[in-house]
Amino acid sequence: LEEIQTLDLYFSVKILHQVTHWRNWVLREFGGVAEGFAGLAAGQDEVVIEALVAAVVERGYPAEDLPLVLRFLDPEGGAVTLACFQRLAEVDPDRFLLQVHEWVSGLKDHKQPLHAVFDELLAAGEAPDDGTMDCEYFATAFQQIFPEEAIPPRMLFHFLDPEGRSCITRQNLAALETFNGLILRSGVARVRRFLAQTYGDADAAFAALVKLAEKAGTAG
């Protein structure tokens, strides 16, 4: 399962780079980030994601993956404000991936497996009983356990949750151990998309692959 969920992280890299692609479009279209919000929000203080997507598409930008792109702006309650929209100027995929790589490498050097880190984060406060963490809990716990770490915790959460489930599990975090965001191989995002389109999500894909393996073993 972790290997398949690692493919999800490669898909997150694609989405992360699409954030900068969209930012460049906003700058070309409106001349600035704040001006882009004013134009797309039609003078409102906030705009719901669905309306923002519709406004962007109306101006000719492709809608594919745009709701996932907007998640990296960390909208509150499904609405985007000017403060939220201005995070476009802060997103730097290469710097973020380097920070993640260095953090995971440091944990490996100190023999700290990520599943143990997840348990430590889970024990830092009053986490849900189902063993998952939402964005608010994860960000607070991460800053508590790693106060000197430069990684933006909310961005890390969205990176670990590419399907937008609004929660992460131990497997999501542990997938970073086999992930190297600095060396992307061609076709990985395509494989991940095939699995998603064919099976629905990582869990369903893994279950289907297990069945295929069992069937192959029986046939052998």
Side-chain angles (χ1 to χ4, degrees):
L1 180 56
E2 285 182 13
E3 285 78 3
I4 294 176
Q5 287 176 322
T6 298
L7 291 174
D8 278 338
L9 299 185
Y10 284 99
F11 181 68
S12 282
V13 172
K14 174 194 172 188
I15 298 299
L16 194 58
H17 281 284
Q18 282 185 253
V19 175
T20 59
H21 182 275
W22 187 54
R23 176 178 65 208
N24 293 338
W25 176 85
V26 169
L27 294 176
R28 289 195 305 271
E29 191 78 8
F30 299 97
V33 173
E35 292 81 358
F37 179 79
L40 294 170
Q44 300 298 310
D45 293 333
E46 64 178 36
V47 56
V48 297
I49 289 178
E50 292 79 5
L52 181 58
V53 170
V56 171
V57 172
E58 186 177 351
R59 287 179 172 269
Y61 192 88
E64 183 184 13
D65 298 328
L66 189 54
L68 295 177
V69 167
L70 291 173
R71 287 178 58 252
F72 275 99
L73 303 183
D74 198 26
E76 298 181 6
V80 178
T81 63
L82 174 58
C84 172
F85 198 81
Q86 286 179 323
R87 296 189 181 114
L88 264 179
E90 304 169 4
V91 176
D92 185 336
D94 292 337
R95 181 177 64 186
F96 172 76
L97 293 173
L98 178 61
Q99 290 170 337
V100 171
H101 176 75
E102 291 177 343
W103 178 60
V104 173
S105 296
L107 292 174
K108 288 182 178 180
D109 290 342
H110 289 88
K111 310 298 183 187
Q112 289 182 269
L114 280 167
H115 65 81
V117 171
F118 185 91
D119 291 338
E120 188 176 2
L121 292 169
L122 207 60
E126 296 182 6
D129 295 333
D130 61 0
T132 66
M133 289 184 275
D134 63 17
C135 185
E136 196 65 38
Y137 181 91
F138 177 81
T140 301
F142 189 90
Q143 289 175 322
Q144 179 180 331
I145 302 300
F146 302 101
E148 305 299 323
E149 184 53 55
I151 301 174
R154 302 181 79 88
M155 184 179 292
L156 178 58
F157 176 89
H158 294 307
F159 184 75
L160 295 171
D161 179 33
E163 295 181 351
R165 294 180 176 180
S166 300
C167 67
I168 61 170
T169 65
R170 180 178 287 101
Q171 287 78 16
N172 292 130
L173 188 62
L176 285 174
E177 290 186 341
T178 53
F179 170 79
N180 186 344
L182 301 178
I183 306 174
L184 295 177
R185 296 180 179 178
S186 62
V188 176
R190 195 181 316 119
V191 172
R192 189 269 174 200
R193 185 176 294 279
F194 166 77
L195 291 174
Q197 291 175 344
T198 305
Y199 300 107
D201 58 29
D203 293 341
F206 179 73
L209 292 174
V210 168
K211 288 183 179 180
L212 287 173
E214 290 176 345
K215 185 180 294 185
T218 302

